[in-house]
Amino acid sequence: MTAAMMGEVAAQVASAIGGLMFAYTMFRNYFPHELVDPLKPYFQKLLNFFYPYIHITFSEYDGDGFERSAAYAAIQRYLNANSASQARRLKANVVHDTDSDVVLTMAESEEVTDDFNGVRLWWSSYKISPNRQSISFYPREDDRREFGLTFHRRHRDAVTKLYLKHVLDEGKAIAVKERRRKLYTNIKSDGGWYGRRLWSHVLFEHPATFDSLAMDPYKKQELIDDLINFSKSKDYYAKIGKAWKRGYLLYGPPGTGKSTMIAAMANLLNYDVYDLELTSVKDNTELRKLLIDTAGKSVVVIEDIDCSLDLTGQRESKKEEDEDKDKDKDGKNKDVEKIKDSVKKMEKEKPSQVTLSGLLNFIDGLWSACGKERIIVFTTNHVEKLDPALIRRGRMDKHIELSYCTFKGFKVLAKNYLDMESHELFATVRQQLEETKMTPADVAENLMPKAAGEDKETCLKRLITALEDAKEEARLKAEKEKEEKKEKEEKNSDKDDKNNENGVESDQSNVANGVEENGVI
């Protein structure tokens, strides 16, 4: 058969398919569904007989849309690396600190071809938008993105057994090569009209490392060993039947380096950071969705957990309510207790409905196993305010106290800020730090040169002056508190004396009344 004859046959086949499609569309539009639906399988068989191509769809989200498809992400990277030279419409993303400032990716409704061992394949990218013309009371869904792969059916085995594995492996290799860590934050829900995407992100470029962290060298090395051991313990966690995750509680006064330590942990392990703002989470269901939508090799952070939500006092509130009921049974102070209870409820009303139970399940429940190689970090300035169930071992596996600056911490800061390992003023600084409480953040601020050309000794002297001022301020504060305590004790003593006098007068009056009632003169 000549090329002209083959072209003529192909044209006839295409015309026949087009006619069938048109006829079926007209039939479907003008005849009732009861008549159309039974004919669908037969029409599909007829179409498959003339149409020799197979089409595979890869959706961005698997199942009900909780988790982003790993296959879709790998295909996206593979096509981005191979589509810039073919696609007519491209999307440009500006990326910093890379060999190329602009990264080109294939736009929606675009098609590119690929060749694999002599097999020609067609990739297409498209976006399906939901119908938003009608009014609906259900949450609005985002646009659904998909990749489509088309190939001739005679290449089915080559594509399904070899080509798809090749694409996924290449996509994963590109991801490892081009991996750039990100800092995520959860998107605030507006009460019902929210989309599928739960996190937004920026590039994570925090420079903190454990070398620059002002803490005891032994504790620092212990933490580093613990983190590295966790990252290499996939098989061990599977063996003992636990989810591959680890919790860290960082506590201490403000300015002691809790946030800096989180950045150092992420930089050490090359993990992404998910900064979870609990006050922006609508309820426990959304909290679970956020957890599922986090990737592996990540640090999930909830800073100032004692301030994020009123989770710490829930059990105490329940206890107070039980005590209030007991008081009501005795008929004592009913109205006063009701007013107090109303005030407490008004003060504790929050827009978020996340509960302590939901947070515990997020950390250590069934949903916590949806994912792997994940670190969860809580920070707090007041560890005593936290519910014991929230920070017990198994949830927060390691408790790390970050306290005021020690001389060892100062030496790390002096090395970082002034490039100094010893100086005659170090002895004075050491004595002052032993007598005065100052956070590493305040020490670092005083060591930092304030003007160009400022010498190192001036910076040390400024720190010593700041320590002396802090010491004097602490002394004055202690004296003031002592005086206030003394005045309070004197007032209480005067009040007790007055009550005793009133008691004596009352007893005398009772005796006199008793004598008079009995007729004794």
Side-chain angles (χ1 to χ4, degrees):
M1 184 179 291
T2 64
M5 293 177 64
M6 292 179 62
E8 184 178 350
V9 172
Q12 290 176 356
V13 172
S15 178
I17 293 174
L20 285 172
M21 292 292 293
F22 177 77
Y24 179 74
T25 302
M26 298 296 292
F27 183 72
R28 186 179 58 186
N29 290 340
Y30 291 99
F31 287 85
H33 291 288
E34 293 79 4
L35 185 61
V36 174
D37 290 343
L39 297 177
K40 283 183 178 179
Y42 300 101
F43 177 79
Q44 189 63 45
K45 289 181 180 180
L46 183 61
L47 183 62
N48 290 340
F49 179 78
F50 289 100
Y51 188 73
Y53 293 97
I54 296 175
H55 187 77
I56 302 177
T57 300
F58 301 88
S59 297
E60 184 177 6
Y61 286 87
D62 292 329
D64 293 331
F66 267 25
E67 188 173 8
R68 195 168 189 260
S69 169
Y72 180 93
I75 293 170
Q76 186 178 44
R77 295 187 184 97
Y78 176 82
L79 293 178
N80 289 346
N82 295 280
S83 63
S85 60
Q86 294 187 42
R88 294 182 179 181
R89 296 190 306 111
L90 299 165
K91 292 188 295 185
N93 297 316
V94 178
V95 180
H96 305 287
D97 300 333
T98 58
D99 297 333
S100 176
D101 292 332
V102 178
V103 175
L104 300 177
T105 60
M106 186 170 65
E108 284 84 11
S109 303
E110 192 62 42
E111 183 177 285
V112 296
T113 60
D114 194 16
D115 292 301
F116 178 75
N117 294 340
V119 177
R120 173 59 60 92
L121 308 103
W122 294 266
W123 283 101
S124 58
S125 172
Y126 47 90
K127 178 173 63 176
I128 301 175
S129 300
N131 183 14
R132 298 188 180 122
Q133 295 179 353
S134 59
I135 298 176
S136 174
F137 294 98
Y138 295 98
R140 178 180 63 80
E141 293 289 343
D142 275 356
D143 297 329
R144 190 172 75 250
R145 293 171 175 81
E146 294 180 346
F147 287 121
L149 173 63
T150 304
F151 55 92
H152 199 282
R153 61 189 176 196
R154 66 171 172 264
H155 302 305
R156 178 193 292 268
D157 290 342
V159 172
T160 56
K161 296 179 180 179
L162 299 176
Y163 177 70
L164 290 180
K165 184 179 184 303
H166 163 74
V167 170
L168 297 180
D169 290 344
E170 285 291 313
K172 292 176 182 177
I174 293 171
V176 172
K177 181 180 177 181
E178 298 180 351
R179 174 173 168 79
R180 310 201 67 243
R181 288 178 299 113
K182 299 180 179 67
L183 172 62
Y184 293 84
T185 183
N186 51 306
I187 300 172
K188 182 176 176 61
S189 170
D190 56 6
W193 292 86
Y194 56 94
R196 188 191 299 271
R197 283 167 176 74
L198 303 175
W199 299 94
S200 61
H201 69 267
V202 295
L203 294 179
F204 183 71
E205 300 175 326
H206 201 293
T209 64
F210 277 97
D211 291 336
S212 62
L213 210 59
M215 65 179 298
D216 184 88
Y218 299 104
K219 292 183 178 179
K220 184 189 299 186
Q221 189 59 48
E222 181 184 355
L223 177 57
I224 291 173
D225 293 341
D226 188 77
L227 289 166
I228 294 176
N229 180 64
F230 165 78
S231 67
K232 297 179 179 179
S233 300
K234 178 181 179 180
D235 294 337
Y236 177 76
Y237 276 83
K239 176 185 175 182
I240 64 176
K242 289 186 64 176
W244 191 12
K245 64 175 184 60
R246 190 158 178 81
Y248 293 85
L249 174 67
L250 311 183
Y251 65 96
T256 51
K258 295 183 286 294
S259 298
T260 305
M261 176 173 282
I262 294 170
M265 294 166 70
N267 286 330
L268 175 70
L269 299 177
N270 198 28
Y271 282 8
D272 293 325
V273 178
Y274 289 83
D275 184 14
L276 177 59
E277 178 56 56
L278 277 181
T279 56
S280 299
V281 181
K282 188 181 67 170
D283 52 27
N284 293 336
T285 300
E286 187 172 316
L287 185 64
R288 289 194 291 269
K289 290 182 180 180
L290 284 164
L291 177 65
I292 293 171
D293 207 38
T294 60
K297 294 184 179 294
S298 61
V299 182
V300 181
V301 181
I302 303 180
E303 293 201 80
D304 297 321
I305 182 66
D306 55 306
C307 302
S308 296
L309 286 176
D310 187 19
L311 298 169
T312 57
Q314 290 182 359
R315 299 193 179 188
E316 287 77 1
S317 298
K318 180 69 170 59
K319 183 178 178 181
E320 290 174 1
E321 289 176 4
D322 294 340
E323 291 176 352
D324 291 345
K325 290 179 181 178
D326 294 338
K327 290 182 179 179
D328 288 344
K329 290 179 181 178
D330 296 336
K332 297 179 182 179
N333 302 324
K334 289 184 178 180
D335 294 336
V336 175
E337 297 300 330
K338 287 181 179 179
I339 293 173
K340 287 182 178 180
D341 185 58
S342 300
V343 171
K344 288 178 182 178
K345 289 181 178 179
M346 291 176 62
E347 290 176 347
K348 294 181 178 181
E349 281 185 353
K350 301 265 186 180
S352 175
Q353 297 179 14
V354 174
T355 64
L356 178 61
S357 174
L359 186 60
L360 296 180
N361 191 36
F362 172 88
I363 302 167
D364 196 34
L366 293 174
W367 290 92
S368 67
C370 298
K372 54 187 178 180
E373 200 170 355
R374 184 187 291 119
I375 288 175
I376 300 175
V377 180
F378 287 171
T379 72
T380 180
N381 298 332
H382 306 284
V383 67
E384 70 280 357
K385 292 184 179 181
L386 299 181
D387 192 301
L390 190 65
I391 59 175
R392 69 164 175 80
R393 306 292 178 175
R395 290 192 174 116
M396 294 294 105
D397 303 283
K398 198 168 184 63
H399 295 190
I400 303 171
E401 182 180 9
L402 298 175
S403 189
Y404 296 100
C405 189
T406 63
F407 181 67
K408 291 181 179 179
F410 158 75
K411 292 185 71 174
V412 173
L413 294 173
K415 174 65 175 176
N416 293 339
Y417 284 82
L418 302 177
D419 198 22
M420 296 178 63
E421 295 185 1
S422 63
H423 192 275
E424 59 183 10
L425 292 176
F426 274 26
T428 305
V429 173
R430 181 171 191 164
Q431 181 182 355
Q432 293 288 348
L433 286 173
E434 291 173 352
E435 300 173 353
T436 309
K437 293 181 178 180
M438 180 173 283
T439 65
D442 289 333
V443 172
E445 179 62 26
N446 285 286
L447 288 177
M448 184 180 294
K450 304 301 180 185
E454 187 175 42
D455 61 78
K456 302 174 182 180
E457 187 171 326
T458 301
C459 297
L460 286 174
K461 290 180 178 179
R462 180 170 55 242
L463 172 61
I464 292 171
T465 302
L467 286 167
E468 291 173 348
D469 293 342
K471 182 179 178 180
E472 180 64 17
E473 183 178 346
R475 186 186 66 80
L476 294 175
K477 182 179 180 181
E479 290 182 355
K480 183 179 180 181
E481 291 176 353
K482 186 177 180 180
E483 292 177 359
E484 290 176 350
K485 183 179 180 181
K486 185 178 180 180
E487 291 177 1
K488 186 176 181 180
E489 291 176 350
E490 290 176 352
K491 287 182 180 179
N492 291 335
S493 178
D494 293 341
K495 186 177 180 180
D496 292 339
D497 292 341
K498 188 174 182 180
N499 290 336
N500 291 333
E501 292 176 1
N502 293 335
V504 172
E505 292 176 359
S506 177
D507 292 341
Q508 292 176 350
S509 176
N510 291 335
V511 171
N513 291 335
V515 171
E516 185 175 339
E517 288 176 358
N518 291 315
V520 180
I521 301 176

